[in-house]
Amino acid sequence: MSGEMAPNGQRSGPGSSPELRASHADRDRVVDVLRIAAGDGLLTADELDERLEVALSARTLSELAGLTADLPVASIPAGGVAAGGVVPKDVVRIEQVFSGAVERTGRWVLPRRLELAVSWCDVTLDFTEAVITQGTLHIDVAMTGKTLTLVTGRASRSMSTG
C-alpha cells in the first residue's frame, strides 16, 4: 500500500481508499496515537480500552480513521514527526524536595534532555514502554538522598556518567 499515515493515524496520499485493508503497522500507529492521547488526558481509561480493542481488530483504514477523528493532529516540527505523530519536548525538568516518589512509567514520550533536581525523593524512570523519539537521551541528575532507578529494555546499549 502506498501513502503515509498522518499524525492522527489516517492514511494520506494517492490511492488511499478508506476501504483498503489495514496492516499491522497501520494498527500500531493508531494504537500509539491513542495511548499518547490518553496520557495527555484526552481520553479516559475506559475510552482508551474501547478504542484499543477496536484498533487491534480493525480490518480497514476507515475503521482506524474513526478512532482518531476527534483527536487533535500534532504539529509537524522542522525535524519531522516523532513516533505516533508526537513532537518531543526539548527539556523536561523534574524538581521535588521531601515529597513522595517521582515516577515516569507506562507510555510516555521521551524528551531530548531530562533534568532531575530532587532531594529525599525516590525516583523511578521506566523506559520499557516509553516512546523513543531520538537516538540519545541526556539525563542531568542533581540528587540528594534516596534512590534513582532506571528501568530499561533489552535494546538499551550504554549509559555513561560524567
Side-chain angles (χ1 to χ4, degrees):
M1 284 187 261
S2 64
E4 292 293 319
M5 191 66 92
N8 66 353
Q10 296 179 8
R11 186 177 290 278
S12 63
S16 59
S17 169
E19 294 310 314
L20 287 176
R21 301 288 287 196
S23 69
H24 292 306
D26 294 330
R27 286 185 283 276
D28 289 345
R29 280 189 287 271
V30 170
V31 166
D32 283 344
V33 170
L34 293 173
R35 287 184 174 157
I36 291 166
D40 290 343
L42 298 171
L43 298 173
T44 67
D46 289 339
E47 289 173 315
L48 176 63
D49 288 343
E50 290 171 10
R51 291 184 190 206
L52 287 177
E53 184 176 330
V54 173
L56 294 172
S57 63
R59 292 185 179 159
T60 65
L61 295 178
S62 63
E63 291 175 81
L64 291 175
L67 298 173
T68 58
D70 62 339
L71 300 175
V73 177
S75 60
I76 299 174
V81 176
V86 175
V87 180
K89 294 182 179 179
D90 284 327
V91 178
V92 170
R93 183 169 177 83
I94 299 172
E95 296 181 75
Q96 298 283 337
V97 178
F98 294 108
S99 65
V102 175
E103 292 186 352
R104 291 304 299 251
T105 60
R107 193 123 181 125
W108 58 293
V109 179
L110 292 181
R112 290 178 174 82
R113 177 180 222 88
L114 182 61
E115 298 177 353
L116 293 173
V118 296
S119 296
W120 302 104
C121 303
D122 286 321
V123 178
T124 301
L125 301 175
D126 185 342
F127 300 104
T128 55
E129 293 183 46
V131 176
I132 299 170
T133 58
Q134 66 280 327
T136 304
L137 168 64
H138 296 277
I139 304 175
D140 295 325
V141 180
M143 187 170 184
T144 306
K146 298 289 186 163
T147 59
L148 169 61
T149 304
L150 302 176
V151 181
T152 62
R154 291 178 291 191
S156 306
R157 289 193 214 143
S158 66
M159 296 176 72
S160 61
T161 59

